[in-house]
Amino acid sequence: MQLPKSPAKPTSTRTNKPKAGQVQLFFKGLPEDVRFKSHSIPESLERAKGTLYETWFNALQLSPHYQSICETNEFPSDEAKRTFELFGDLRNVSFDTWWIEVGYGIFAEKKPFNKVAVNNQTDDFGEDVKVLHLEIPLNVSPKTLRAQFDNLLELHHPHYKDFDRWQASTAPARMESRKLTSVSLNICLDVYRLFLEKSKQGEALLYEIGEELRINPKLNVVHSDRAIEVNEKRIKMSSAVSEYLEKAKNLAAHATEGRFPCTDNHPWIERQTRAARKSRYGD
C-alpha cells in the first residue's frame, strides 16, 4: 500500500532509510529489554506498537497544524517543514502501514550499538568514536570486575551521571528524554480525539468526555448523588479533562515541529483563562 501524497509535496531531504532487506535495525525508543537487540522490519513494527513512536504518530495525525500542512503544503515554521519531510502525509494512513513504509527508516539508528569487546573493531562509518580498551582478568570474581568496571566508567565516561541516549542517537528523527510515557500521553490524545469528535456535533462538555473515558471513575455521576454533589463532580472532572486537553494540544504542536515528547506551553496554543467554577471549555 502506497502512502497518499499531498498535491505539491516538496522535494524530500530525508536521510536514506535502511534497505528493506536489512535485518539489523536498532532503535533507542524501544523498551530496555529489547533495545539492544537487532530487529527485522516486521519485528520492529511489533516492538514499536504501544511505544512513544506510535504516540508521536498519533499526535501528528490529531494535530490540526499538521493536518493543515498536509492539505495546503504550507509550513508554519522550518521545523514543521522538516517534520513533514520526515514523516510524510499521514492522512488516512494506519500506523502499521506507515511504519513499514516510512517510520522504521526515520527512527532506526544509522549505526548499531557498540558492545563491550576484547578488541576494538574497525569503524565502518568512518567516525572517530572514543573507546576504552579493557584488559579483563578472568581470575577475579565477577562482582569485583563489575565494581572495577563501574569505577572505570565513572573516571573515563564524559557523561557518566547524565548520559542522554537521545543526544547520542544517529536516527534522522529522535525523541527527547523526558519523564513522559506513552500510557499517560495516550490518555491526553484520547481526550483530544473525543473532544474533536464532539465539537463537530456542537459544544463539547468536558465532564461528559471525562465520564465517557473514565478519566477518574470517582468523579462519574451516579443516581444517588445530590444536586450539589453532581455539580462538584462535574466541576472537578471538567478541570481534570481541561488539563489533559491542554497537554494534548501542546504535545501535538511540538510534535508538528519535530519535538517529542513535549507538553510545555507552545506559542501556537492559546492559553485558556478558566473561571474557578466553570465546567465548560471553549476551544
Side-chain angles (χ1 to χ4, degrees), residues 73-136:
N73 202 41
E74 296 178 357
F75 305 96
S77 68
D78 291 341
E79 292 80 7
K81 182 177 181 180
R82 181 179 184 275
T83 301
F84 181 71
E85 290 172 344
L86 285 172
F87 285 79
D89 191 332
L90 300 184
R91 291 175 293 179
N92 304 315
V93 180
S94 69
F95 175 73
D96 288 25
T97 298
W98 175 82
W99 181 270
I100 293 295
E101 294 291 332
V102 177
Y104 82 89
I106 67 173
F107 286 122
E109 297 296 314
K110 297 178 183 178
K111 181 176 180 179
F113 301 143
N114 289 330
K115 297 180 180 179
V116 176
V118 176
N119 297 315
N120 184 31
Q121 302 296 317
T122 302
D123 187 353
D124 295 332
F125 290 81
E127 298 177 2
D128 183 15
V129 180
K130 185 177 181 180
V131 297
L132 188 66
H133 297 270
L134 300 180
E135 181 178 284
I136 303 177

Side-chain angles (χ1 to χ4, degrees), residues 21-45:
Q22 183 176 352
V23 295
Q24 287 194 334
L25 299 175
F26 296 85
F27 302 87
K28 284 184 176 288
L30 297 181
E32 191 170 3
D33 60 332
V34 296
R35 187 183 304 156
F36 300 100
K37 298 179 181 178
S38 63
H39 303 280
S40 66
I41 297 174
E43 289 171 345
S44 70
L45 169 60

Side-chain angles (χ1 to χ4, degrees), residues 12 38 43 51 60 89 137 140 144 179 193 218 245:
S12 175
S38 63
E43 289 171 345
T51 68
L60 287 176
D89 191 332
V140 179
T144 300
K179 294 181 180 180
R193 186 177 293 107
K218 294 181 179 179
L245 186 57

Side-chain angles (χ1 to χ4, degrees), residues 43-222:
E43 289 171 345
S44 70
L45 169 60
E46 294 306 311
R47 297 297 188 184
K49 290 179 180 179
T51 68
L52 286 171
Y53 290 139
E54 186 175 20
T55 303
W56 193 344
F57 171 88
N58 291 335
L60 287 176
Q61 279 201 324
L62 282 174
S63 170
H65 318 289
Y66 200 82
Q67 290 177 17
S68 177
I69 289 173
C70 294
E71 293 169 359
T72 67
N73 202 41
E74 296 178 357
F75 305 96
S77 68
D78 291 341
E79 292 80 7
K81 182 177 181 180
R82 181 179 184 275
T83 301
F84 181 71
E85 290 172 344
L86 285 172
F87 285 79
D89 191 332
L90 300 184
R91 291 175 293 179
N92 304 315
V93 180
S94 69
F95 175 73
D96 288 25
T97 298
W98 175 82
W99 181 270
I100 293 295
E101 294 291 332
V102 177
Y104 82 89
I106 67 173
F107 286 122
E109 297 296 314
K110 297 178 183 178
K111 181 176 180 179
F113 301 143
N114 289 330
K115 297 180 180 179
V116 176
V118 176
N119 297 315
N120 184 31
Q121 302 296 317
T122 302
D123 187 353
D124 295 332
F125 290 81
E127 298 177 2
D128 183 15
V129 180
K130 185 177 181 180
V131 297
L132 188 66
H133 297 270
L134 300 180
E135 181 178 284
I136 303 177
L138 299 181
N139 59 348
V140 179
S141 73
K143 181 178 180 180
T144 300
L145 289 175
R146 283 192 291 267
Q148 291 177 352
F149 180 65
D150 192 61
N151 290 336
L152 283 172
L153 285 181
E154 185 174 11
L155 180 63
H156 295 282
H157 200 297
H159 305 289
Y160 177 77
K161 294 183 178 180
D162 59 350
F163 180 74
D164 184 343
R165 71 177 186 271
W166 291 110
Q167 289 298 321
S169 174
T170 58
R174 64 186 186 188
M175 289 185 280
E176 295 186 357
S177 293
R178 289 175 175 262
K179 294 181 180 180
L180 296 170
T181 66
S182 58
V183 174
S184 63
L185 294 180
N186 284 336
I187 295 175
C188 296
L189 294 179
D190 287 342
V191 167
Y192 196 14
R193 186 177 293 107
L194 187 56
F195 173 80
L196 293 174
E197 291 175 0
K198 288 185 175 293
S199 295
K200 294 177 181 178
Q201 304 168 4
E203 184 179 12
L205 300 180
L206 294 196
Y207 66 82
E208 290 183 352
I209 294 174
E211 289 181 343
E212 185 170 338
L213 295 177
R214 298 187 65 80
I215 295 298
N216 185 343
K218 294 181 179 179
L219 297 179
N220 279 26
V221 173
V222 296

